[in-house]
């Protein structure tokens, strides 16, 4: 190999950072829309539903696959860094393009609504017709 003819690769700090970030993102996350997640899906995890705790209450710093970042004291939403970490976590429990195959959508669904798994926090969504369940399902389905 003639090194004189080999183009020189110049890595800037920004390009090294971008490469490191891309390598740390799960393959599933690369096809999921982060902006849609942050604006439409993530707020669902903060919403109080009648007779249920907010998702973040039980899932902040949990010791299982759906582990959300703990909110900072007196915060009502996550920081950008926390949202990115939540996105990476959530991306691991969905199958892009396949809402029915995604643990994030199956687990919190009521058994009568089609769930096949136990959710210790009880059913968060009675049926697949729940608007918030549909919001998450639409986000998953839109991924390629």
């Amino acid at each position: 190999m003639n090194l004189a003819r080999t183009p020189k690769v110049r890595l800037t700090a920004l390009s090294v950072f971008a490469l490191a970030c891309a390598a740390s993102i799960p393959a599933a996350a690369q096809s999921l829309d982060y902006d849609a997640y942050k604006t439409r899906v993530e707020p669902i995890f903060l919403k109080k539903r009648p007779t249920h705790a907010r998702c973040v209450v039980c899932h902040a710093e949990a010791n299982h696959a759906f582990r959300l970042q703990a909110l900072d004291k007196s915060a009502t939403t996550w920081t950008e860094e926390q949202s990115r970490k939540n996105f990476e976590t959530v991306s691991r429990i969905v199958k892009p393009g396949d809402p029915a195959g995604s643990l994030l959508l199956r687990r919190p669904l009521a058994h009568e609504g089609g769930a096949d798994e136990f959710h210790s926090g009880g059913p968060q969504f009675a049926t697949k017709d729940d608007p918030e369940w549909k919001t998450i399902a639409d986000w998953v389905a839109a991924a390629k």
Side-chain angles (χ1 to χ4, degrees):
M1 182 166 149
N2 185 347
L3 292 178
R5 292 186 179 180
T6 305
K8 291 182 181 179
V9 176
R10 188 170 169 209
L11 294 176
T12 64
L14 181 57
S15 61
V16 170
F17 176 74
L19 289 170
C21 287
S24 70
I25 297 172
Q30 293 177 17
S31 66
L32 293 163
D33 183 338
Y34 172 74
D35 291 328
Y37 164 80
K38 186 175 177 186
T39 60
R40 290 182 279 193
V41 175
E42 194 172 57
I44 294 170
F45 305 147
L46 295 170
K47 186 177 179 185
K48 173 76 173 110
R49 285 184 251 324
T51 71
H52 290 90
R54 298 175 301 148
C55 298
V56 66
V57 171
C58 297
H59 289 277
E61 304 298 329
N63 192 24
H64 51 70
F66 186 33
R67 180 181 185 210
L68 296 170
Q69 297 295 301
L71 287 172
D72 293 335
K73 195 171 193 158
S74 75
T76 58
T77 190
W78 287 284
T79 65
E80 180 65 21
E81 180 182 355
Q82 290 173 316
S83 288
R84 294 248 177 222
K85 287 179 181 179
N86 286 342
F87 175 72
E88 288 177 23
T89 295
V90 170
S91 297
R92 290 182 183 104
I93 58 173
V94 300
K95 290 185 178 180
D98 182 12
S102 298
L103 183 62
L104 180 67
L105 287 155
R106 289 192 329 257
R107 180 73 49 99
L109 190 60
H111 183 73
E112 301 79 25
D116 58 356
E117 312 220 11
F118 173 74
H119 181 250
S120 61
Q124 297 293 311
F125 309 112
T127 70
K128 293 177 182 177
D129 292 326
D130 182 289
E132 291 173 338
W133 191 94
K134 283 182 170 183
T135 296
I136 299 169
D138 289 348
W139 171 69
V140 172
K144 304 285 184 217

